[in-house]
Amino acid sequence: MNGRDLVRSVRMVGSVRGLRVLRSSLRRRAADARALRRPGAERARAPGLVVGAEPGPGGGVVRFARSELLIRVAVGGSVFWGWDGAGPLPSYALDGAAPEVDPRARLEPDKDGGWQVVSERLTVVVSRHGGVELRTPGGVVLRRELPPLWWEPVAGGAPRWVQRSEVPADARFFGLGGRASGPRLRDGVYGLWNTDPGGRFGPGDDPLYLTMPVQVVVADAGTHLVFHDNTWSGRVRLREGEEGAGSGHDRPGTCEVRLDGGPLRCWVLAGTPARVLQGWTALTGAPALPPSWALGPQHARWGFGSEREVRRIVAGYRERGLPLSAVHLDIDHYDAHRVFTVDRARFPDLPGLAEELREEGVRLVSIVDPAVKAEPGYSVFDSGAAVGGDGAFVRDARGRTVRGEVWPGECVYPDFTDPQVREWWGGLYQERLALGFSGVWHDMNEPVSFAAFGDPTLPRSARHSLEGRGGDHREAHNVYGLAMARAGYEGLRRLRPGTRPFLFSRSGWAGMQRYGGTWSGDVETGWPGLRASLALVLGLGLCGVPYSGPDVGGFDGSPSPELYLRWYQLGAYLPLFRTHAAIDAGRREPWEFGPEVLAHARAASEERERLRPYFVTLAHVARLTGAPYVRPLWWDAPGERALRACEDAFLLGDALLVAPVLESGADRRVVPLPRGRWYDTATGEVYEGPGQVLLDAPLSRVPVLARAGAVVPVRGADGAVELEVWAPTPGRGGGGLMVRDAGDGWERAEVERYTSRLAGGKVLVEREGVEKPLDLRVRVRGL
């Protein structure tokens, strides 16, 4: 919460809270001043010259005069290295144990006194000064790491370090979690500290709620992912390279990672984008599979106010022929904003409301914030205080419970890095399930403590369990939301073992896909906010989080009818399709923007429902392979530079190319095409790629193209699943996947593979491995 939003908050809730916020901020500063060492003299250190090496499983250890480097190649091709004795564990990012090492990889002497590890997909070359080069099997350099530098406090304490790297001149950077200025990360500094930007954000704001030290680098030489497994605060400075004109020299791209403490360790994966994401998913865990209903349209509002208003909104959707899968209740449904309570005056019968809506095909989803009101007699506070020997809540360096100011007032914060606390917190979700809620969304879990100035979070000196290792908030902050998501997900699985949990979280870290998805947070209402919405989804997908989406219409302010419609049309093609707004912002129901917008929004919603079987399939594909639903245009052709430069269009799976309208007044737009034949799904017009095309984009729709030969599972007019097949080009086949919706349990997914080809002027569609006729209706388009 910055100064502007503090004033806004004080005006909204009164000056008493403003005074409490100021007191909380001063208390936080005083705690850090007492407990943290003041910056003093530091000693700089570099690895020095190599003095020896010791081969080991999957690689070995290279020793230098003042440090040592451990290198391991894992089965599957991922490469790990760690300095100063750092190993792969402990890690919040990895899914359990470290992967098995590849026994074929060996540490061998290299020229000039260096060493190298040769593996199937990467060769790691270590210079005698401590530089590390990553090369393809053909010897092409993907990345060059310069020798790292450490700054160690003379008086003792955690050293900070910097790792500088070079990449090819043509390389482009992506990832780093949720970045509003992406998806391509241009020259600049990007923070690594999960942050509530204060009520709204746009493309110029950084960092945001969900940062990750995960870079995806795409160049002519190939694609690679680099992950610095360190949860401390830091900064990443990126500078794109420049190719020399004529006989001029190339200037390589550069990356500088600075972390304020913790280990210097890194994972690298290389290959095609699909292979890289598959390896990343194998390392950090498969994405949680959302229930099929969570792939439909959802509606949220901060300020429904009552059961009557919820029923009115749901009836509005039904009466206007708008599909709706879920309604989300924000903090105003709680009793005095206290989590795991209900305002019985305004919501007297939530179980009855939930059952009534479920009969109409609509689920209820509840917000859950981590801050617990510090109020003796409040059941959550009292039960948390009784957890373990010292209670469930974060304490300061002197052993006192840390308190902050959030919506309920003075609050305490569960330490989700403690397994006992996660188990206690997960059990609290029984109250939500008993009320009829079908899912939860975690908010304010960076975590947030309102601040009069500075960082709106807990004292950096606050103490955490960190799985029993112990540490302070500087190390725990970035994984706080991740650990909360784990607590909620595991609790829901225990409480309702036959049903897949639905959970998405505003904050998190590498590996959060194991527990659910995320959303944009409080994206500002405006055309820049619309553009940022797409950037966030694309960037998060490349970091292994495939299920996400924005607040359609923006969180604050009142969108114009055109802006709202264009946002709604974009949302219809993103994994999480949800409208949402602040309590003092304009409405987000489609009928509030006039009959023309309503008609076009209805068409977008109906197309989303028609594509529901395709979204179900994409969800299963993401779980099995790590491939995101929403992919950049360069996904299948990272060597195509024109596609790497496109940031305003995307692939939806393998079959569809979506070109949303992100500018006011636009009714046509340029779209770069990947190689092959593409069909305009609205007009049937045929286009050949690679190249650029100018497409009509009337207010009624956004351009969507289908790849020739694609087999897309869709919902037919009678509600049954059918195959929509786009005619393949002569001499070339096509195909697609389908996973049938088996409900919201844990049934094993059966992936059905279909092929298409032209024969005698007809399109033939067959299911691989099955000789009997298809049991699905087939509709051919594009002939």
Side-chain angles (χ1 to χ4, degrees):
M1 175 173 285
N2 56 27
R4 175 193 62 194
D5 294 296
L6 174 63
V7 172
R8 177 184 176 191
S9 175
V10 169
R11 287 175 177 170
M12 183 168 60
V13 299
S15 60
V16 172
R17 166 161 290 172
L19 292 174
R20 291 203 303 259
V21 167
L22 180 60
R23 183 179 62 187
S24 174
S25 298
L26 293 173
R27 192 165 53 211
R28 180 162 59 245
R29 285 195 166 191
D32 284 345
R34 284 192 305 267
L36 298 181
R37 293 179 184 270
R38 293 185 178 182
E42 294 180 316
R43 182 184 298 110
R45 177 167 63 88
L49 290 176
V50 67
V51 296
E54 180 182 340
V61 176
V62 182
R63 292 190 172 87
F64 297 85
R66 291 179 291 278
S67 188
E68 65 180 33
L69 173 66
L70 168 67
I71 304 174
R72 286 182 184 169
V73 179
V75 172
S78 58
V79 176
F80 171 85
W81 70 75
W83 287 93
D84 277 2
L89 299 175
S91 171
Y92 276 96
L94 268 58
D95 186 20
E100 183 181 351
V101 299
D102 186 347
R104 299 171 298 173
R106 296 178 179 272
L107 181 65
E108 304 169 347
D110 192 34
K111 59 185 179 180
D112 298 327
W115 294 81
Q116 68 173 5
V117 177
V118 180
S119 67
E120 181 181 0
R121 298 179 188 173
L122 275 175
T123 297
V124 184
V125 180
V126 183
S127 77
R128 62 193 182 99
H129 296 285
V132 179
E133 279 191 358
L134 301 171
R135 300 176 183 173
T136 68
V140 179
V141 176
L142 291 175
R143 189 180 189 94
R144 179 178 292 111
E145 304 278 357
L146 305 181
L149 297 173
W150 292 266
W151 284 269
E152 298 174 334
V154 172
R160 58 189 180 90
W161 53 260
V162 60
Q163 176 71 71
R164 296 186 175 95
S165 313
E166 294 179 349
V167 296
D170 67 285
R172 296 294 177 259
F173 298 98
F174 300 85
L176 294 181
R179 304 290 168 171
S181 59
R184 173 181 162 191
L185 302 177
R186 289 173 168 78
D187 297 0
V189 178
Y190 299 87
L192 295 174
W193 186 257
N194 292 348
T195 303
D196 175 8
R200 68 181 69 85
F201 70 87
D205 292 302
D206 188 273
L208 298 178
Y209 315 97
L210 206 166
T211 67
M212 296 185 200
V214 180
Q215 302 172 41
V216 176
V217 183
V218 185
D220 291 352
T223 301
H224 69 274
L225 180 150
V226 174
F227 167 51
H228 290 88
D229 193 352
N230 183 308
T231 67
W232 284 62
S233 63
R235 297 150 299 287
V236 179
R237 182 183 298 274
L238 300 177
R239 184 184 181 193
E240 293 183 345
E242 184 176 336
E243 293 181 295
S247 60
H249 294 290
D250 287 353
R251 177 174 59 78
T254 60
C255 168
E256 179 184 278
V257 179
R258 289 180 178 267
L259 273 296
D260 296 332
L264 172 46
R265 57 184 181 176
C266 187
W267 288 92
V268 179
L269 302 100
T272 65
R275 176 170 283 184
V276 166
L277 264 294
Q278 186 171 24
W280 177 242
T281 298
L283 192 65
T284 60
L289 189 67
S292 57
W293 59 262
L295 297 170
Q298 305 178 49
H299 186 85
R301 190 203 300 168
W302 179 13
F304 273 122
S306 67
E307 289 183 12
R308 179 180 179 182
E309 177 66 4
V310 172
R311 288 188 174 92
R312 187 187 74 82
I313 295 300
V314 173
Y317 272 87
R318 182 179 63 250
E319 292 163 2
R320 293 168 176 85
L322 292 165
L324 182 65
S325 290
V327 170
H328 298 216
L329 300 188
D330 210 315
I331 55 174
D332 54 290
H333 86 279
Y334 284 129
D335 179 13
H337 294 161
R338 296 177 303 175
V339 68
F340 300 117
T341 66
V342 176
D343 185 335
R344 300 291 180 181
R346 292 182 295 141
F347 292 87
D349 185 16
L350 264 180
L353 175 65
E355 181 61 29
E356 175 187 324
L357 297 184
R358 184 183 287 269
E359 291 176 358
E360 300 182 32
V362 179
R363 268 74 170 183
L364 274 184
V365 175
S366 171
I367 192 173
V368 174
D369 287 355
V372 174
K373 185 173 178 61
E375 181 181 69
Y378 168 38
S379 62
V380 178
F381 177 76
D382 291 345
S383 65
V387 172
D390 297 321
F393 306 118
V394 175
R395 294 177 176 269
D396 65 17
R398 297 197 290 184
R400 300 183 304 181
T401 303
V402 171
R403 301 196 174 204
E405 186 73 18
V406 201
W407 298 118
E410 189 173 55
C411 291
V412 292
Y413 298 81
D415 181 8
F416 296 114
T417 70
D418 185 333
Q420 289 186 86
V421 176
R422 289 198 296 268
E423 184 173 3
W424 160 72
W425 185 265
L428 298 176
Y429 288 75
Q430 176 60 48
E431 182 265 355
R432 297 285 93 183
L433 296 178
L435 291 171
F437 287 106
S438 298
V440 295
W441 53 294
H442 289 172
D443 203 350
M444 306 289 286
N445 60 337
E446 288 70 36
V448 173
S449 175
F450 294 158
F453 42 78
D455 189 12
T457 186
L458 304 187
R460 298 195 177 209
S461 59
R463 303 298 298 174
H464 290 263
S465 167
L466 290 166
E467 314 308 316
R469 293 182 290 111
D472 62 36
H473 196 67
R474 293 174 297 176
E475 183 178 358
H477 173 84
N478 280 335
V479 295
Y480 189 88
L482 171 74
M484 180 186 178
R486 178 180 178 181
Y489 182 83
E490 292 178 347
L492 291 169
R493 285 203 63 170
R494 290 194 304 269
L495 294 168
R496 192 168 288 176
T499 303
R500 299 196 303 269
F502 176 55
L503 183 152
F504 62 103
S505 172
R506 191 170 81 172
S507 184
W509 203 63
M512 69 169 297
Q513 72 277 359
R514 300 190 295 264
Y515 314 118
T518 184
W519 91 105
S520 66
D522 303 341
V523 61
E524 69 180 15
T525 297
W527 293 96
L530 171 58
R531 184 172 291 272
S533 297
L534 177 56
L536 286 160
V537 175
L538 282 166
L540 287 163
L542 292 173
C543 292
V545 185
Y547 184 85
S548 66
D551 285 345
V552 168
F555 182 70
D556 70 315
S558 300
S560 68
E562 180 194 13
L563 174 60
Y564 174 82
L565 178 59
R566 291 308 194 187
W567 218 317
Y568 198 91
Q569 290 167 335
L570 169 63
Y573 292 97
L574 300 180
L576 173 59
F577 179 22
R578 181 181 89 142
T579 57
H580 183 47
I583 193 169
D584 55 350
R587 304 297 288 268
R588 295 295 184 267
E589 294 81 40
W591 56 87
E592 296 290 341
F593 296 87
E596 183 181 16
V597 169
L598 173 60
H600 300 330
R602 182 186 297 112
S605 292
E606 290 173 349
E607 180 63 8
R608 171 60 173 244
E609 288 299 281
R610 193 180 76 88
L611 290 173
R612 182 80 76 91
Y614 187 48
F615 274 92
V616 169
T617 298
L618 293 179
H620 283 275
V621 169
R623 179 165 180 79
L624 293 171
T625 71
Y629 312 37
V630 172
R631 308 165 188 176
L633 292 190
W634 48 260
W635 178 260
D636 295 314
E640 295 285 345
R641 296 189 180 185
L643 300 181
R644 296 207 296 259
C646 179
E647 301 180 89
D648 59 357
F650 59 91
L651 297 174
L652 182 60
D654 289 328
L656 302 178
L657 189 161
V658 182
V661 175
L662 306 178
E663 298 178 356
S664 176
D667 59 4
R668 305 183 82 188
R669 59 152 298 170
V670 174
V671 179
L673 291 184
R675 193 174 302 275
R677 176 173 293 178
W678 297 85
Y679 298 93
D680 188 313
T681 58
T683 67
E685 196 77 22
V686 181
Y687 302 97
E688 298 288 343
Q692 286 192 337
V693 294
L694 182 63
L695 300 179
D696 289 332
L699 197 60
S700 60
R701 61 179 176 85
V702 296
V704 179
L705 305 179
R707 192 189 301 268
V711 179
V712 185
V714 298
R715 184 176 289 173
D718 60 354
V721 177
E722 62 184 32
L723 299 179
E724 183 172 80
V725 182
W726 292 89
T729 55
R732 299 191 63 182
L737 306 176
M738 185 179 78
V739 177
R740 305 191 189 221
D741 188 355
D744 296 335
W746 298 96
E747 294 81 2
R748 184 178 178 85
E750 180 182 1
V751 180
E752 302 175 11
R753 300 177 181 273
Y754 294 89
T755 60
S756 66
R757 58 188 174 91
L758 274 176
K762 295 183 178 181
V763 176
L764 300 182
V765 181
E766 299 171 318
R767 180 179 172 185
E768 286 187 358
V770 177
E771 296 182 359
K772 61 183 179 181
L774 298 181
D775 61 348
L776 297 169
R777 186 165 50 241
V778 175
R779 186 160 60 97
V780 176
R781 299 185 64 183
L783 277 179

